[in-house]
Amino acid sequence: SARQLCFAWGPAEVLVCETRFGRRGGCPSGAGSGSGRARLPGALTGCVAGTGEGAPSSSRLFVVRRDQDIYIQTLRKLFNESHGIFVGLQRSEAEPAGTSRKAQLVQVSKNYRSVIRACMEDMHQAAISARDPALQSQYSTQVSILSAMELIWNLCEILFIEAAAAGPLLLRLLDWVRLHVCDVDSMVREVLSSENPSKHELFWNVVDIFVLQGRMDEARHLLSKEASANPTSLNMYKILDDLMKKMPVPSLGNTQTLTEMELKWQHWHEECQRYLQDGTFASNSHMESICKILLGDEDAILEKKELMTTWYHFLVTRLLYSHPTVKPMELRFYAQACMDVFLGGESSPEPLDTILMAAFEFEMHQVIKECSIALSNWWFVAHLTDLLDHCKLLQSHNLYFGSNMREFLLLEYASGLFSHHSLWQLGVDYFDHCPEYGRVYLELHIERIPLSTEQKALKVLRICEQRQMHAQVRSICKIMAMKALRNNRLGSALSWSIRAKDAAFATLISDRFLKDYCERGCFSDLDLIDNLGPSMLLSDRLTFLGKYREFHRLYGEKRFPEAARLLLMLMTAHIAPCSFWMTLLTDALPLLEQKEVIFSAEQTYELMRCLEDLTAAKSDKQKLQDDAETMKVEMLRLALARNLARVIVEEGTLEGS
Amino acid sequence: AMEDVCAKFVSQKISKARWRPLPAAALQPPDVFATGSWDNEDNRISIWSVGDLGNVGLNGEYQGEPQLLCDIRHNGDVMDMQFLDQERIVVASSTGTVTVLRHHQNNQTLSANQRWEKAHYHVDQDSCCGGAACTGVICNNPEIVTVGEDGRINQFRADQKEAVRTINNADSSTLHAVTFLRTTEILTVNSIGQLKIWDLRQQRNEPSQIFSLTGDRVPLHCVDRHPNQQHIVATGGQDGMLSIWDIRQDTMPVSLLNAHEAEMWEVHFHPSSPDHLFTCSEDGSLWHWDTSRDIAEKPSFLHQGGRSTTYLSHNTINQSIVSAWLSNDPTKDRMEITNLIPNQTLSVNSLDILGPCLVYGTDAEAIYVNRQLF
């Protein structure tokens, strides 16, 4: 069709709309260049869904989010708890490298996984208790996604982070399979809890499960029950039990070399072979099949396909009974072969299969890439990549757009957090640990946090101040000062501009105070103005405000000479704005009218000069059109002259005496 | 001991946490607390229980995490919260509304009992918007006093629809917190570093006394009064400084103690062992300030467990025992301070302490309970 799409990029979301324009058309005005605020994260909280009924107009707007999972309530636990682990990992950087470092990183990996598991547990509970079937299936989907995430992470932990060597590698993979193949757990529980397990129809299935997972002790325990019920075939049981007991396993420590292990294995394998060939188990198909499994017979193992459920279980079982000392680099061949055989061309590999295969192939970047595509969140890849990077496994890989993959993924994840109305605080620490672009991202995002209360503003401000983000500090304070001003809270407005050291704004507010004073004849917010302290020096006008108020206080306390000196100083030192001189001179009037003389001769001359300067400056521009003002000037001149006369007499008397 | 701390992630940023007060004759430690959230699209007041006996292990140690008893939606951020009595909670909202909630313990529900819409407001109370955040609330049943960003002080009575008294423009800057000094006197702190005493009996709309920090007027965010010696007041500031004031004498603090690196959001004297003080901060730390050591003549009540009523009931606390808080000289290392949170990240917004139990809530959406603090 001729319809075109139009995009507008937001910090964490994309606006998409259809346009009427053809291929050559531009972006329609309005949609593409809409006001910046409208497409901010907080403003758009839900996806605007179109009806999709082939409507021709482009009246619908779609919000495309980069990270859908950020909005899932139950996952907030995952985001918050993993944030703590992430920050801890970044802080641990300074500690010395070495073998303890590896143990430390494995522990971090385990911590991440335990958070995933805890979250899975919560989600599972939520699924059980949910009444709404839609909600229930939504939770169940989340459980399976989390479970897949943990499965992948665990494999990466074994192969990349712990980098288990031949021998221990197999033991780790066995643990991995036991932990994650839980489909058969209910069957195991059912049989074990039955009154007489050996009579249960699924008895042999459970024995097989144990054998396939290498859980020999449990398998033998079950078998012993069966044996005691069948005294006739006791010998056969004993032989099988003995074989299972003797099976050599790689050791975790350095107690045996790989060669020793392989030698033992060879002996044991030959023994099993002998028993199978001389028909020891011929009378019991179950036991015969177990013996074949012990020998690593592919067909015998594949017969139990349903009990393994996945190709990677099959892989580990095959390795256990055919190649127990498999080396990490050999894994890829077995993995590919096992997957091909297991899926048997019936089904094509799913994303999870591809991801696990990439891991077995030690293609770390491929794992991350596939996960980024398959998962609906950035959490997983961001944290896994960061951890791998701390293991120094991703050093050489730089992306063509500048920063490396770790940083790229962390930026994506943190941007998603910032698009959330509440999780934005977590994003800050992630940006902090992105050396290349983190700062810029933080600056752009932090300015878009809605400042609903002063307390929230203080929290945002603290983030900016700690990082010396001066422009953002100023902008936040200005927003808050403007808000306060709109609400007629001059005191609050002034505190905010003082905090930002915003001289221009402090001047603006001081003028409002002075204007209020001129209109009402008294000061508002004395508690603030009287307590300006050193912050008074922020702007000239603020200094004047503070000093002028001080004059009123001195006057109120009848400390006239000090008041007079201060008043004069405000004009002669040009602290007072010229527009205010008339008010100041008028304030001098009552002092001039006091019974005793307050202004000295010299001070009176200065006052006169101030008055003349003022009237001269005024008459230059406009005639004194205001009668009241003219009268005020006349009154002042009179008072000044009278004061001068009094002071000459008084000073003359003093000199004479 | 840190291992006694139990954490629960609750998927909402916690702005307030308060223990439900114990009945007068109670001997057991508190087991129910309330939390309030902020900065959510959907904020909530929640009631939690930690006292489930089924969760107590063999050695009597506490194991289970807090269990949600009930919750209710709250319009706006929860700015402050106080229990009025065993059943009622007063909640201050960023919308300026003050609500009294009742916790029905028989069927575990919460309901609004009384509401003062826009008790705090800018310019016009009746317009659709214009509510100003109510930043602080303090109760002394049935009295309720609230303060807000509008610089207003309201006095309510729990069962009365109309405000008993309102002081408009009580402060030209933002009032951050309030507490009772005596039954008729309150203390407020504001954003220009002032501590003010207001006598509610006086009709004058002016504070009866103003105390002030010197130098830069660093905003004060929280205030608490010594439970036994009413002249000793502690405040916490934007720079994380703890100030101790003796309101009988100086207009400046007696001592300034530095521990936090960012805003101190709350300060609490231990209600029954006031030699101990607890503060929490935006920097993610929670400090325990202990002056009980090194003062030989003073008996210790901490290890008796539960409440130390002996200390309170006898009026022997006079000049013979100089308060550790006032005589304290930080340079002599007489005060022991411990950070109770080793791996701090996001802000600890609120804490409450009652008996041997501590509860606190964070911006990392977790609540923590320590039931064996002493």
Side-chain angles (χ1 to χ4, degrees):
Chain A
S1 91
R3 274 181 266 151
Q4 296 289 303
L5 282 183
C6 158
F7 297 92
W9 297 91
E13 288 153 342
V14 186
L15 279 191
V16 181
C17 64
E18 288 176 9
T19 75
R20 292 170 189 279
F21 293 95
R23 275 178 196 289
R24 287 159 190 282
C27 203
S29 64
S33 56
S35 83
R37 205 77 203 173
R39 60 177 116 94
L40 288 183
L44 295 164
T45 47
C47 283
V48 185
T51 55
E53 295 297 317
S57 81
S58 59
S59 58
R60 273 186 300 278
L61 215 55
F62 297 85
V63 180
V64 182
R65 280 190 178 138
R66 71 164 84 209
D67 195 337
Q68 197 67 45
D69 285 2
I70 287 281
Y71 298 88
I72 295 174
Q73 186 75 5
T74 2
L75 287 183
R76 284 173 72 159
K77 181 182 168 133
L78 176 73
F79 302 139
N80 275 288
E81 217 169 342
S82 58
H83 166 262
I85 301 173
F86 174 83
V87 172
L89 175 59
Q90 316 304 313
R91 285 180 188 159
S92 72
E93 198 78 78
E95 286 166 33
T99 47
S100 66
R101 174 69 177 165
K102 190 188 205 174
Q104 197 183 11
L105 290 166
V106 170
Q107 189 52 52
V108 170
S109 176
K110 285 185 173 153
N111 291 346
Y112 276 128
R113 282 201 293 121
S114 84
V115 174
I116 302 178
R117 290 198 83 89
C119 210
M120 209 158 80
E121 188 55 42
D122 282 3
M123 201 73 91
H124 185 63
Q125 288 302 325
I128 290 170
S129 54
R131 298 227 175 86
D132 177 16
L135 201 63
Q136 199 165 26
S137 80
Q138 192 190 327
Y139 284 136
S140 301
T141 313
Q142 281 301 322
V143 171
S144 52
I145 292 173
L146 284 168
S147 154
M149 277 165 33
E150 212 254 323
L151 174 79
I152 301 166
W153 192 301
N154 196 354
L155 185 60
C156 292
E157 179 182 305
I158 295 166
L159 298 178
F160 309 146
I161 300 163
E162 190 178 356
L169 174 63
L170 181 76
L171 297 178
R172 290 276 177 266
L173 289 175
L174 274 173
D175 288 339
W176 176 63
V177 161
R178 287 171 196 158
L179 189 62
H180 290 99
V181 179
C182 348
D183 299 353
V184 291
D185 285 358
S186 56
M187 195 198 292
V188 173
R189 264 196 304 276
E190 191 192 322
V191 170
L192 290 184
S193 61
S194 69
E195 222 165 275
N196 191 353
S198 58
K199 289 284 173 286
H200 198 283
E201 53 175 348
L202 296 172
F203 172 79
W204 284 104
N205 275 353
V206 172
V207 176
D208 286 344
I209 288 167
F210 285 148
V211 173
L212 290 168
Q213 294 187 7
R215 292 153 75 172
M216 287 309 179
D217 290 344
E218 288 160 274
R220 286 173 55 211
H221 180 70
L222 264 192
L223 274 178
S224 70
K225 291 190 176 174
E226 171 73 1
S228 51
N230 291 299
T232 47
S233 43
L234 196 60
N235 195 41
M236 194 161 53
Y237 281 109
K238 266 193 176 154
I239 292 169
L240 186 61
D241 183 70
D242 194 46
L243 285 177
M244 287 164 78
K245 193 171 92 183
K246 280 198 293 194
M247 184 177 116
V249 279
S251 73
L252 271 179
N254 293 324
T255 48
Q256 65 176 355
T257 64
L258 275 185
T259 338
E260 275 172 1
M261 163 70 199
E262 272 160 2
L263 212 62
K264 278 190 202 163
W265 176 266
Q266 204 59 44
H267 280 296
W268 176 78
H269 204 260
E270 280 160 13
E271 199 179 348
C272 292
Q273 196 82 44
R274 265 201 312 280
Y275 282 116
L276 185 69
Q277 275 163 3
D278 66 15
T280 308
F281 305 114
S283 62
N284 187 321
S285 64
H286 293 299
M287 285 201 266
E288 187 169 40
S289 126
I290 289 176
C291 186
K292 280 182 182 168
I293 294 173
L294 295 185
L295 279 165
D297 183 309
E298 190 174 296
D299 293 332
I301 297 174
L302 262 183
E303 261 177 47
K304 313 290 176 195
K305 202 171 168 178
E306 278 74 45
L307 298 179
M308 293 183 289
T309 66
T310 62
W311 65 268
Y312 44 89
H313 188 341
F314 173 54
L315 165 70
V316 175
T317 305
R318 275 216 58 194
L319 291 173
L320 173 65
Y321 294 113
S322 310
H323 312 282
T325 55
V326 63
K327 294 185 181 63
M329 284 306 148
E330 296 164 353
L331 275 176
R332 59 174 68 205
F333 307 115
Y334 299 119
Q336 190 64 55
C338 283
M339 189 170 89
D340 292 346
V341 171
F342 197 86
L343 298 181
E346 294 161 22
S347 51
S348 53
E350 306 222 340
L352 179 62
D353 301 322
T354 327
I355 293 166
L356 294 176
M357 185 54 73
F360 283 123
E361 287 169 346
F362 281 81
E363 295 289 347
M364 245 171 278
H365 295 110
Q366 194 63 26
V367 172
I368 291 160
K369 188 181 151 194
E370 298 283 347
C371 288
S372 305
I373 296 168
L375 296 170
S376 52
N377 64 66
W378 289 108
W379 179 89
F380 181 81
V381 279
H383 287 86
L384 182 60
T385 308
D386 174 61
L387 182 57
L388 293 176
D389 190 70
H390 277 87
C391 300
K392 313 253 182 261
L393 291 170
L394 294 168
Q395 294 293 311
S396 58
H397 198 80
N398 275 313
L399 297 178
Y400 63 92
F401 42 82
S403 94
N404 61 26
M405 181 151 74
R406 169 189 174 273
E407 173 154 338
F408 171 77
L409 294 171
L410 286 178
L411 290 173
E412 288 297 305
Y413 173 63
S415 299
L417 290 174
F418 258 94
S419 76
H420 191 277
H421 54 84
S422 189
L423 292 172
W424 56 273
Q425 271 172 301
L426 298 177
V428 177
D429 285 309
Y430 289 93
F431 283 143
D432 276 352
H433 292 99
C434 294
E436 195 104 22
Y437 295 117
R439 168 90 180 195
V440 186
Y441 269 65
L442 181 59
E443 285 173 357
L444 289 175
H445 279 289
I446 202 97
E447 285 195 325
R448 292 174 162 79
I449 300 293
L451 306 171
S452 44
T453 63
E454 288 195 13
Q455 174 136 345
K456 186 168 177 186
L458 288 173
K459 281 176 181 272
V460 178
L461 205 53
R462 176 61 63 182
I463 290 168
C464 297
E465 280 179 347
Q466 276 169 346
R467 290 158 184 81
Q468 275 96 44
M469 290 159 53
H470 302 298
Q472 284 70 28
V473 168
R474 263 199 307 282
S475 127
I476 292 164
C477 289
K478 188 155 242 161
I479 291 169
M480 295 312 287
M482 282 303 293
K483 265 191 189 175
L485 205 58
R486 260 205 310 278
N487 291 326
N488 249 329
R489 302 278 303 149
L490 290 188
S492 280
L494 190 56
S495 327
W496 283 109
S497 46
I498 288 172
R499 174 136 189 199
K501 304 207 169 24
D502 186 339
F505 209 79
T507 300
L508 188 102
I509 298 164
S510 309
D511 280 340
R512 274 279 295 268
F513 271 115
L514 293 169
K515 189 168 144 260
D516 279 5
Y517 169 75
C518 290
E519 282 166 7
R520 294 191 300 194
C522 66
F523 280 106
S524 60
D525 302 324
L526 282 182
D527 52 347
L528 174 75
I529 302 171
D530 283 345
N531 279 285
L532 284 172
S535 55
M536 197 196 282
L537 301 173
L538 178 61
S539 98
D540 289 349
R541 201 60 47 85
L542 191 58
T543 314
F544 170 65
L545 177 66
K547 290 285 169 196
Y548 185 51
R549 161 63 194 157
E550 199 179 321
F551 160 75
H552 279 267
R553 211 180 48 236
L554 292 171
Y555 185 86
E557 290 165 7
K558 300 212 183 306
R559 292 152 71 182
F560 297 132
E562 287 161 85
R565 219 175 303 132
L566 181 58
L567 188 70
L568 191 59
M569 192 268 284
L570 287 177
M571 285 182 283
T572 54
H574 291 277
I575 296 170
C578 285
S579 58
F580 218 77
W581 280 28
M582 191 45 98
T583 315
L584 294 180
L585 286 164
T586 319
D587 284 332
L589 264 178
L591 286 171
L592 293 165
E593 304 289 328
Q594 290 293 322
K595 220 176 242 168
E596 71 235 83
V597 179
I598 288 159
F599 288 102
S600 70
E602 200 180 331
Q603 286 176 322
T604 316
Y605 287 130
E606 295 222 52
L607 274 178
M608 289 170 138
R609 210 193 65 226
C610 290
L611 182 63
E612 292 317 308
D613 281 358
L614 184 64
T615 47
K618 278 228 166 140
S619 55
D620 276 355
K621 280 181 235 150
Q622 85 257 34
K623 291 270 170 247
L624 296 171
Q625 70 279 72
D626 195 343
D627 280 348
E629 183 119 341
T630 323
M631 197 146 86
K632 219 184 254 175
V633 172
E634 288 310 316
M635 270 169 65
L636 269 168
R637 283 196 176 124
L638 188 64
L640 285 166
R642 272 219 306 262
N643 189 67
L644 193 59
R646 279 162 60 193
V647 78
I648 286 171
V649 173
E650 191 165 293
E651 282 176 8
T653 329
L654 284 174
E655 269 169 44
S657 64
Chain B
M2 291 314 297
E3 52 274 22
D4 299 324
V5 177
C6 178
K8 186 177 178 74
F9 283 84
V10 293
S11 294
Q12 48 188 339
K13 293 197 278 194
I14 297 298
S15 55
K16 287 291 154 188
R18 296 283 178 257
W19 287 111
R20 184 175 73 188
L22 293 166
L27 292 169
Q28 74 272 35
D31 54 359
V32 170
F33 65 91
T35 59
S37 74
W38 79 285
D39 206 26
N40 247 345
E41 279 179 324
D42 177 16
N43 286 302
R44 294 186 164 269
I45 305 285
S46 312
I47 308 281
W48 307 84
S49 159
V50 287
D52 189 359
L53 283 168
N55 286 333
V56 175
L58 282 177
N59 305 323
E61 83 275 29
Y62 175 71
Q63 290 179 327
E65 56 177 29
Q67 301 292 318
L68 181 68
L69 292 179
C70 52
D71 63 355
I72 191 171
R73 279 193 68 160
H74 179 260
N75 199 8
D77 294 347
V78 175
M79 302 293 290
D80 200 3
M81 191 165 72
Q82 293 289 331
F83 272 92
L84 185 68
D85 53 29
Q86 294 267 335
E87 290 187 325
R88 287 177 296 172
I89 315 161
V90 187
V91 185
S93 165
S94 61
T95 62
T97 297
V98 178
T99 313
V100 182
L101 294 174
R102 185 180 284 278
H103 174 209
H104 306 274
Q105 292 172 37
N106 46 357
N107 60 358
Q108 292 304 345
T109 52
L110 278 166
S111 64
N113 182 242
Q114 173 73 278
R115 178 169 288 146
W116 295 282
E117 296 283 350
K118 278 188 215 149
H120 292 270
Y121 59 94
H122 291 302
V123 194
D124 182 10
Q125 193 170 15
D126 299 322
S127 70
C128 61
C129 43
C134 175
T135 52
V137 57
I138 190 75
C139 309
N140 187 6
N141 195 7
E143 304 287 336
I144 299 166
V145 177
T146 67
V147 296
E149 277 184 15
D150 55 356
R152 196 170 267 114
I153 299 176
N154 286 310
Q155 186 186 4
F156 298 108
R157 204 154 288 158
D159 46 8
Q160 224 167 294
K161 191 83 204 98
E162 296 303 316
V164 177
R165 180 159 182 213
T166 295
I167 306 178
N168 291 318
N169 238 328
D171 203 305
S172 59
S173 51
T174 295
L175 286 170
H176 281 147
V178 59
T179 194
F180 272 105
L181 178 61
R182 281 175 272 271
T183 44
T184 57
E185 280 178 295
I186 55 163
L187 289 163
T188 61
V189 288
N190 68 13
S191 63
I192 53 167
Q194 292 172 327
L195 170 69
K196 296 181 182 177
I197 302 180
W198 304 79
D199 189 340
L200 296 174
R201 286 167 307 187
Q202 304 236 329
Q203 281 314 301
R204 228 157 47 96
N205 288 342
E206 303 266 311
S208 50
Q209 243 178 313
I210 300 181
F211 304 86
S212 187
L213 292 172
T214 50
D216 294 331
R217 269 54 175 173
V218 180
L220 294 175
H221 285 293
C222 49
V223 57
D224 195 24
R225 187 212 62 193
H226 194 286
N228 311 333
Q229 291 162 290
Q230 295 180 336
H231 57 277
I232 302 174
V233 171
T235 63
Q238 186 155 284
D239 52 359
M241 196 85 82
L242 171 68
S243 310
I244 307 288
W245 311 70
D246 181 349
I247 56 166
R248 292 172 308 187
Q249 14 192 302
D250 296 312
T251 60
M252 289 183 306
V254 179
S255 52
L256 293 168
L257 304 159
N258 206 354
H260 295 293
E261 282 160 7
E263 285 84 356
M264 186 192 290
W265 293 127
E266 286 192 13
V267 55
H268 294 275
F269 282 103
H270 190 286
S272 51
S273 306
D275 289 339
H276 298 261
L277 184 125
F278 297 84
T279 60
C280 62
S281 159
E282 179 71 19
D283 69 6
S285 60
L286 193 159
W287 288 95
H288 172 192
W289 308 71
D290 180 0
T291 58
S292 64
R293 318 287 161 104
D294 260 345
I295 297 167
E297 70 269 32
K298 185 182 288 182
S300 169
F301 296 93
L302 290 178
H303 300 289
Q304 294 182 349
R307 309 174 322 142
S308 52
T309 40
T310 38
Y311 192 69
L312 280 164
S313 57
H314 297 300
N315 246 341
T316 50
I317 332 124
N318 47 32
Q319 302 308 315
S320 63
I321 301 172
V322 181
S323 169
W325 294 109
L326 296 184
S327 67
N328 179 63
D329 180 357
T331 56
K332 283 190 179 164
D333 207 21
R334 282 168 121 184
M335 190 182 298
E336 201 171 296
I337 71 172
T338 343
N339 184 7
L340 299 181
I341 305 176
N343 294 315
Q344 60 206 58
T345 52
L346 294 185
S347 172
V348 182
N349 292 324
S350 181
L351 74 92
D352 198 21
I353 175 96
L354 186 58
C357 302
L358 171 73
V359 60
Y360 59 94
T362 71
D363 275 345
E365 306 192 338
I367 46 180
Y368 298 81
V369 177
N370 183 344
R371 303 233 291 167
Q372 284 165 343
L373 197 61
F374 298 128

